Amino acid sequence: MYSPYANVSERELAPPSLAISTVIFALRRDGDTGRPELWLPLVRRIREPYRDRWALPGGPLAARESLQDAAARNLADTTGLTPRYLEQLYAFGGPERSPSPRVVSIVYWALVQPDEAALARESDNVRWFRADAVGELAFDHNTIVDYALWRLRNKTEYGQAAYAFLGELFTLAQLREVYEAVLGRELDPGNFRRQLRATPQISATEHYLAGGRHRPPRLYRYTPDPDMVPGPVPSTPQRSTE
Amino acid sequence: MYSPYANVSERELAPPSLAISTVIFALRRDGDTGRPELWLPLVRRIREPYRDRWALPGGPLAARESLQDAAARNLADTTGLTPRYLEQLYAFGGPERSPSPRVVSIVYWALVQPDEAALARESDNVRWFRADAVGELAFDHNTIVDYALWRLRNKTEYGQAAYAFLGELFTLAQLREVYEAVLGRELDPGNFRRQLRATPQISATEHYLAGGRHRPPRLYRYTPDPDMVPGPVPSTPQRSTE
DNA sequence: TCAAAAGTGTTACTTATACACCCATGT
DNA sequence: ACATGGGTGTATAAGTAACACTTTTGA
């Protein structure tokens, strides 16, 4: 029989089980101020442990599925949405994170654009929360959410994500609002414009957003740089015989 | 029976097995130029698939062990060394990365200071390679090594790692050599000094390195900033009753 | 015509880079 | 004394932040 680790002594009694979880971020406008804020969907646990606590959407890994596909499936199952951005966050596997049967979770984080249908999916067991007010979650999921927020802010600072919250065309003011919502501070419109115009991935179109109360702003488009995909890139030409 | 994912339909036939692998970097001086270079140890596979190919050290996760402890154990098993720096790299789990029984690998990367004993551990099945000349490895391990190198260069650029290659006390020239070896380019000694003296984690001592052929350089010490530990930090006061 | 947001210009300030120069020590 | 690496000073460039200003639209 083939065993991939036959060169190492087998130390395990019950092998830890593997799960994929996903932190899903979306932007929703506050009713009062009209400013966008970060929200994320959680699911209610219907079993012990942590019964009735809110938790990150997750599940097992299907047989022929990549880790990333499994995360995308989590996302579709709980929100019906397709991710605009999806990246691996971290693998959590401490023996103390779950009572009794050990679970190693590989966690992804995603950015989506919620539409009406997606938000309406709320039910008794699925609910959207403001990212800074999720309450006490099951397992170590508070740690995971905090870490995902930290990564989002970093990615935004270096200009990698953020676009994923917007449609194909957007004004620089909309993009700035996203930055402000994620970073939690205001940015100077003039300087923001200059920095973004210096970014090669952002290109101006000839379209303008009409219907506003004031001067119509120009619309821009984001063209992702293929060299900037997150995570590792298959480097060695993986046997190009196929 | 309790099952942590009973709220999701069970889709798997054979659950993927889980492994921990570790990319271990060390600095060795080149015999000719005397300049430090990046090396890493690999182990020879003694079974199919990829029999006789070189691969990253790795193994299964023991029952009561954290992911990080498992990586440290890999390291001790193959080199006898203790990591000075150890951080999670990425979880690799594509269904195509290994023939037949699927393996999800959680990969760590480590920095060590090799001593005589560790280097002498070389055998028919364990050998050190220059990081830029590892040849064709088993599985997707070339991708993993490349990604680990990329992360090392990033961490070094932002000044997080690098110290781990050195002893408790070091001269700025030694530290600069480490940077140069990792980044693969020369740095201006004057500017390097200024930048490092502006870093609060680096403090000057009153000791000097005597015995050199020239003016004795001052020795410095690195005091890690507890706020800068890599990876997620347990945030919610994890039930402080214990 | 006026409010409000789009968009531009200018200046101060911080940080990076290149490189000339002085200092201290073993040979 | 002198070669060599340790260590300092300085001029320039490049990027960041603050903020005053002009432009264009809808009401």
Side-chain angles (χ1 to χ4, degrees), chain B residues 156-202:
Chain B
T156 303
E157 207 120 38
Y158 298 134
Q160 303 300 300
Y163 316 103
F165 284 122
L166 298 166
E168 190 198 350
L169 298 179
F170 48 87
T171 70
L172 290 186
Q174 287 169 342
L175 183 56
R176 181 167 47 81
E177 278 189 316
V178 173
Y179 271 70
E180 289 175 343
V182 170
L183 299 179
R185 67 165 191 269
E186 305 214 322
L187 301 173
D188 182 283
N191 296 334
F192 185 80
R193 147 178 307 278
R194 248 187 306 273
Q195 285 168 20
L196 275 271
R197 298 214 58 153
T199 307
Q201 287 95 45
I202 303 279

Side-chain angles (χ1 to χ4, degrees), chain A residues 51-130:
Chain A
R51 182 175 179 152
D52 288 331
R53 281 285 189 87
W54 295 99
L56 295 170
L61 181 64
R64 254 171 295 283
E65 190 179 44
S66 74
L67 301 178
Q68 178 138 348
D69 290 346
R73 186 166 49 74
N74 279 344
L75 211 152
D77 288 349
T78 52
T79 67
L81 294 167
T82 304
R84 309 244 326 169
Y85 186 93
L86 183 58
E87 187 191 357
Q88 194 180 109
L89 180 69
Y90 202 77
F92 294 83
E96 73 299 336
R97 63 190 298 263
S98 164
S100 186
R102 177 170 187 179
V103 179
V104 171
S105 286
I106 298 178
V107 181
Y108 277 72
W109 64 287
L111 307 183
V112 296
Q113 281 184 281
D115 53 25
E116 291 305 316
L119 294 174
R121 277 221 185 192
E122 282 209 334
S123 69
D124 203 42
N125 292 325
V126 176
R127 190 179 299 168
W128 287 79
F129 292 80
R130 283 185 47 184

Side-chain angles (χ1 to χ4, degrees), chain A residues 139-218:
Chain A
F139 305 108
D140 53 358
H141 289 190
N142 282 101
T143 300
I144 296 177
V145 169
D146 288 346
Y147 185 55
L149 272 169
W150 179 85
R151 274 274 280 271
L152 170 60
R153 297 202 168 105
N154 262 267
K155 282 282 171 182
T156 304
E157 208 118 38
Y158 297 133
Q160 303 298 301
Y163 316 103
F165 284 123
L166 298 166
E168 191 198 350
L169 299 179
F170 49 86
T171 70
L172 289 185
Q174 287 169 343
L175 184 56
R176 179 165 49 80
E177 278 189 314
V178 173
Y179 270 71
E180 289 175 342
V182 171
L183 299 179
R185 67 166 190 272
E186 306 213 324
L187 300 172
D188 182 279
N191 296 333
F192 185 79
R193 147 177 308 278
R194 249 187 304 273
Q195 285 168 19
L196 274 273
R197 298 216 57 157
T199 308
Q201 287 95 44
I202 304 278
S203 48
T205 71
E206 290 310 314
H207 302 104
Y208 293 83
L209 180 62
R213 282 187 302 286
H214 306 293
R215 172 175 175 178
R218 185 187 284 268

